[in-house]
């Protein structure tokens, strides 16, 4: 006989099938001794299993509750500083301060990790000297004049 | 009037500690029994049941109320158990069940008494072998058998817990019982 209601046997035995399905399975069982035997075996197996469910070991519920409480407290604490709702005024002030710092932030500083940026900053510090280049040149000239001014001393020395 | 589980869960979502304590009181035994049945390890079952109640406290707001609270909570417990088994499957190959190692029998609750002691012994051995076979079933088949036989959930409720169709639950049950029958018939 085709279409044995294999997977319907458990719900049939447990009385879970809709009336139409129950009737269909019942009719099939009347004509099919193999399925009838299966249904009997399934019923016996379910009853035996239900009667012999292994009991879990005893547990100390007081200790279990204390551990649960500690776990809950720990979980709450884990979210503490960033997760807890901050009062609105404090949040707004903090946001304002961060905004001002972002806008008025100072010039970029060398990070130490980038040699090129360090070099740029050192060159920047020498810019003031470059602006006064004419004075520097004149200083060089003055040094020369100083030598020129002492030329007669050099001549006297060479003669002596 | 006693509040329903669903009403208590809604209160837990509003951080009502008393409601949480009540739900713990109502469900701790069931959670413990299911977790131990799946894991067969007392310390792991202890850990999983506590975690399940922490999840309940944290996620009570996500309980939509479409299913019964018990079904929703069984789902939380069972998912944690299956995750735990997945995470520890390699370890379990080496460190077998401490409960079994300590000589604890699978059957503390005995089947219907028999007048013949020999008959009784044979029956106990058969039942022991049967439950050992349940332990060896594929995780989803095993969960289906436990929820059906132990927790007495209907096929529709099991489908909700396992997040699958009723037809799938029926197939799981059919295959699981077929395997278990073969175990009994071989003895």
């Amino acid at each position: 006989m085709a279409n044995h209601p294999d997977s319907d046997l458990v719900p049939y035995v447990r009385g879970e099938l809709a009336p139409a399905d129950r009737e269909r399975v019942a009719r099939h069982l009347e004509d099919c001794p193999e399925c009838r035997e299966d249904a009997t075996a399934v019923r016996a197996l379910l009853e035996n299993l239900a009667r012999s469910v292994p009991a879990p070991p005893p547990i100390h519920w007081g200790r279990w509750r204390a551990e649960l409480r500690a776990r809950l407290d720990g979980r709450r604490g884990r979210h503490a500083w960033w997760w807890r709702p901050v009062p609105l005024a404090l949040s707004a002030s903090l946001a304002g301060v961060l905004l001002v710092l972002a806008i008025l932030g100072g010039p970029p500083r060398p990070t130490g990790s980038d040699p090129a940026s360090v070099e740029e900053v050192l060159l920047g510090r020498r810019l003031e000297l470059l602006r006064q280049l004419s004075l520097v040149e004149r200083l060089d000239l003055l040094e020369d004049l100083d030598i020129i001014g002492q030329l007669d001393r050099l001549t006297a020395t060479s003669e002596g | 009037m006693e509040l329903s589980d669903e009403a208590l869960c809604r209160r837990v979502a509003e951080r009502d500690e008393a409601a949480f304590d009540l739900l713990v009181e109502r469900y701790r035994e069931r959670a413990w029994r299911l977790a131990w049945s799946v894991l067969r390890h007392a310390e792991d079952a202890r850990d999983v049941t506590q975690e399940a109640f922490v999840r309940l406290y944290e996620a009570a707001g996500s309980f939509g109320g479409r299913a019964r609270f018990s079904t929703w909570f069984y789902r939380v417990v069972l998912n944690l158990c299956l995750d735990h088994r997945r995470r520890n499957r390699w370890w379990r190959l080496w460190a077998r069940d401490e409960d079994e190692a300590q000589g604890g029998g699978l059957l503390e609750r005995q089947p219907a008494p028999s007048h013949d002691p020999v008959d009784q012994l044979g029956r106990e051995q058969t039942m022991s072998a049967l439950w050992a076979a349940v332990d060896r079933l594929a995780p989803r088949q095993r969960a289906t058998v436990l929820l059906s036989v132990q927790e007495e959930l209907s096929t529709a409720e099991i489908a909700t817990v396992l997040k699958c169709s009723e037809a799938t639950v029926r197939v799981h049950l059919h295959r699981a019982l077929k395997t278990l029958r073969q175990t009994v018939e071989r003895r």
Side-chain angles (χ1 to χ4, degrees), chain B residues 73-87:
Chain B
F73 188 62
Y74 275 131
R75 183 172 164 68
V76 172
V77 176
L78 196 62
N79 278 342
L80 284 169
C81 288
L82 296 178
D83 283 349
H84 187 92
R85 280 176 69 92
R86 266 195 292 273
R87 276 200 310 272

Side-chain angles (χ1 to χ4, degrees), chain B residues 34-177:
Chain B
L34 180 60
W36 183 80
S37 302
V38 175
L39 300 170
R40 290 276 189 251
H41 190 283
E43 276 308 308
D44 290 351
R46 182 187 199 87
D47 181 54
V48 160
T49 47
Q50 286 168 355
E51 185 58 28
F53 282 105
V54 170
R55 297 280 173 97
L56 160 63
Y57 187 83
E58 289 177 341
S62 69
F63 170 63
R66 286 182 299 276
R68 282 163 57 194
F69 171 80
S70 59
T71 314
W72 181 78
F73 188 62
Y74 275 131
R75 183 172 164 68
V76 172
V77 176
L78 196 62
N79 278 342
L80 284 169
C81 288
L82 296 178
D83 283 349
H84 187 92
R85 280 176 69 92
R86 266 195 292 273
R87 276 200 310 272
N88 297 290
R89 63 183 182 275
W90 298 112
W91 169 246
R92 274 184 294 113
L93 290 174
W94 297 96
R96 281 299 290 172
D97 221 331
E98 73 167 20
D99 295 340
E100 283 179 21
Q102 286 166 3
L106 275 174
L107 294 176
E108 273 91 30
R109 198 190 303 171
Q110 300 301 332
S114 160
H115 295 296
D116 183 348
V118 177
D119 214 31
Q120 174 76 11
L121 186 64
R123 192 178 172 78
E124 281 175 19
Q125 285 173 345
T126 303
M127 290 298 107
S128 214
L130 194 57
W131 278 101
V134 171
D135 287 350
R136 287 193 299 271
L137 289 172
R140 293 215 140 213
Q141 285 184 20
R142 186 176 175 197
T144 310
V145 170
L146 290 172
L147 291 172
S148 169
V149 169
Q150 179 177 297
E151 304 304 321
E152 297 177 344
L153 263 58
S154 69
T155 308
E157 287 171 326
I158 297 170
T160 309
V161 172
L162 296 179
K163 233 179 182 177
C164 61
S165 68
E166 282 189 53
T168 305
V169 172
R170 287 176 190 179
V171 171
H172 279 322
L173 264 176
H174 170 68
R175 289 183 182 161
L177 293 183

